[in-house]
Amino acid sequence: MTAATDDPLRLKRLAEALIDAARRAGADQADALAVDGRSVSIDVRARGLEQAERAEGIEIGLRVLIGGRQAAVSSSDHGDQAIAQMAARAVAMAREAPVDDHLGLADPSQLAQARDAQGLDITEDAAEPDPAHLQDMALRAEAAALSVQDITQVETANAAYGHRRMWLAATNGFSGGYARTTHALSVVAITGEGLRMERDYAGESRVHAADLPTPEEIGLLAAERTLARAGAKKPPTGAFPILFDRRVSASLIGHLLAAVNGSAIARGASWLRRDLGEPVLPPGMDLVEDPLRPRYPSSRPFDAEGLATRRRLIVADGVLQGWTLDLATARKLGMDSTASASRGLASSPQPGHSNVILTPGTASRDDLIARMGTGLVVTSMLGASVNGTTGDYSRGAAGFWVQDGRIAWPVNECTIAGNLRQMLMTLVAADDALPWRGHEVPSLLVQGMTVAGA
């Protein structure tokens, strides 16, 4: 992989060279991404360095369009000859692709005026942290977890840093880019041995290092969560209320977001395909997307097609307001793009979400547990069987059994099932949503799901 560069104009020149090469190769339209990144990751274990990784490089991607056909290619070789070969290969591939008359770049009048991320504060203006500093943070987090009685070992403690810069250019005149930084810290702790072993974790990531919790806070939280799982057993089988803890509640809202994605709607493969303007959440609940939140990790000034992002209501007072659309799905549905396009280096744009916020409730998590009487608090999930067309839902889960309105014992190895339409209409939200997440969702109480346990 070619070394990354500190010259942002290098990416601009690469992206614009790609679209020029595409034109020369015979493309009607083209857009290109140039991305450089560097990352450092440090793992410690048993109070010593376990693994250190560093990666850096520049990669480029090109999409070409010819008469309603498209193709996308990528490469880590960005010499002049490689760019010319890329463009020729992409054009040859596009000529063999099926025709879709809805494909095409944005009209120049639709393009964002902002061509950088000024004001979003998504890049830390500081030197890359030294690996020794990252190792010290990981060791402090590990030591904090190990300081708690009955924590037998720390499986891993990790501290990481990343810096990524991108530039998007297109034949419709768009050319813009921005950078993003990430700081992350996580710990996995273990209690018990053999068949009685239980593990849990804590981890956080931020744009700015100053916004991260301390290593000690993360290590102690991992230990607390792990000890709470000691002695886990299967729950009874039956129909019970389920509280999705804030650690996993965003997954429920993620299924709603997948159902309003324009790609699913255009294919007729969504359980909400006939529900525009209909209630999909309880009255009083809003679901907002705001890609312009300062210092948030998924904020962005424009989408992958160069359209200006904006705050919008997906659900207002429980009622579905609209689909999430890129240009192609908007044209298929006779609507306007919601500036929601995302794409990879070698893929075409698809609708996506960033910075989603669900209206919090007024009750605490403990209040909702008391209200449950008997039921299940879910803190982790594995596997999934979710039918995107019908909304039928089934997942493996672990957490805590609730009896008489109080947590009674930890739970593992159970399955929870229901239908997303009914589940979402019964939601009761707690007041405990955490900031800095791409999906800011509190703990959510769902009535009447099926629990399959002992």
Side-chain angles (χ1 to χ4, degrees), residues 11-13 15-16 19 32 111-116 167-177 302 306:
L11 297 183
K12 178 178 186 290
R13 291 191 293 269
E16 293 177 353
I19 59 174
L111 297 175
Q113 297 301 306
R115 303 297 170 91
D116 57 34
W167 198 277
L168 172 68
T171 53
N172 58 8
F174 186 86
S175 186
F302 51 81

Side-chain angles (χ1 to χ4, degrees), residues 83-416:
I83 286 176
Q85 291 172 347
M86 252 181 95
R89 184 168 73 253
V91 167
M93 291 168 59
R95 286 180 172 141
E96 301 300 321
V99 174
D100 182 345
D101 291 332
H102 300 105
L103 297 175
L105 302 184
D107 185 272
S109 65
Q110 296 177 280
L111 297 175
Q113 297 301 306
R115 303 297 170 91
D116 57 34
Q118 185 175 359
L120 291 184
D121 199 13
I122 56 175
T123 309
E124 187 173 62
D125 186 16
E128 176 184 313
D130 188 84
H133 172 72
L134 294 177
Q135 182 174 338
D136 179 65
M137 291 183 66
L139 287 169
R140 287 166 56 193
E142 180 193 43
L146 289 171
S147 72
V148 179
Q149 186 176 358
D150 294 330
I151 294 297
T152 54
Q153 61 179 297
V154 167
E155 183 174 290
T156 185
N158 171 270
Y161 167 81
H163 182 285
R164 183 177 185 271
R165 183 186 289 119
M166 60 77 66
W167 198 277
L168 172 68
T171 53
N172 58 8
F174 186 86
S175 186
Y178 55 88
R180 187 187 308 279
T181 53
T182 304
H183 296 264
L185 187 60
S186 63
V187 177
V188 179
I190 295 174
T191 187
E193 296 179 353
L195 296 178
R196 299 182 65 82
M197 182 183 292
E198 294 288 345
R199 61 167 47 82
D200 211 327
Y201 74 96
E204 296 286 345
S205 65
R206 302 284 191 273
V207 167
H208 292 261
D211 295 333
L212 268 178
T214 67
E216 288 75 18
E217 289 174 308
I218 290 176
L220 291 173
L221 180 57
E224 176 187 329
R225 288 174 170 173
T226 298
L227 293 179
R229 298 219 38 79
K233 58 184 180 180
K234 292 183 178 182
T237 294
F240 301 100
I242 292 181
L243 180 69
F244 287 78
D245 184 83
R246 65 187 180 186
R247 297 173 66 185
V248 296
S249 58
S251 67
L252 275 184
I253 300 306
H255 293 305
L256 188 155
L257 295 174
V260 302
N261 187 292
S263 294
I265 300 300
R267 297 194 311 271
S270 166
W271 52 275
L272 286 178
R273 60 192 179 277
R274 299 185 182 92
D275 286 80
L276 192 61
E278 298 295 324
V280 294
L281 292 173
M285 273 195 182
D286 294 344
L287 185 62
V288 178
E289 180 180 30
D290 186 0
L292 302 176
R293 301 184 86 181
R295 297 173 82 97
Y296 269 65
S298 57
S299 293
R300 55 181 185 164
F302 51 81
D303 76 348
E305 294 177 307
L307 277 63
T309 57
R310 64 186 186 278
R311 186 181 188 275
R312 67 187 184 97
L313 277 166
I314 300 170
V315 178
D317 195 23
V319 176
L320 180 60
Q321 302 297 300
W323 312 124
T324 298
L325 304 169
D326 62 358
L327 285 169
T329 55
R331 291 167 182 150
K332 288 177 184 177
L333 297 170
M335 297 178 172
D336 294 325
S337 172
T338 55
S340 300
S342 298
R343 62 168 288 194
L345 286 165
S347 61
S348 58
Q350 295 289 327
H353 296 91
S354 58
N355 297 342
V356 175
I357 307 104
L358 182 71
T359 304
T362 57
S364 70
R365 178 179 180 272
D366 288 344
D367 290 337
L368 295 187
I369 289 173
R371 186 184 303 184
M372 291 170 69
T374 300
L376 178 65
V377 176
V378 175
T379 58
S380 65
M381 293 188 286
L382 65 157
S385 175
V386 180
N387 188 314
T389 303
T390 65
D392 289 336
Y393 175 99
S394 177
R395 295 201 66 178
F400 299 92
W401 190 248
V402 173
Q403 211 157 340
D404 298 324
R406 296 182 180 181
I407 289 178
W409 67 77
V411 163
N412 59 13
E413 297 182 14
C414 71
T415 301
I416 56 175

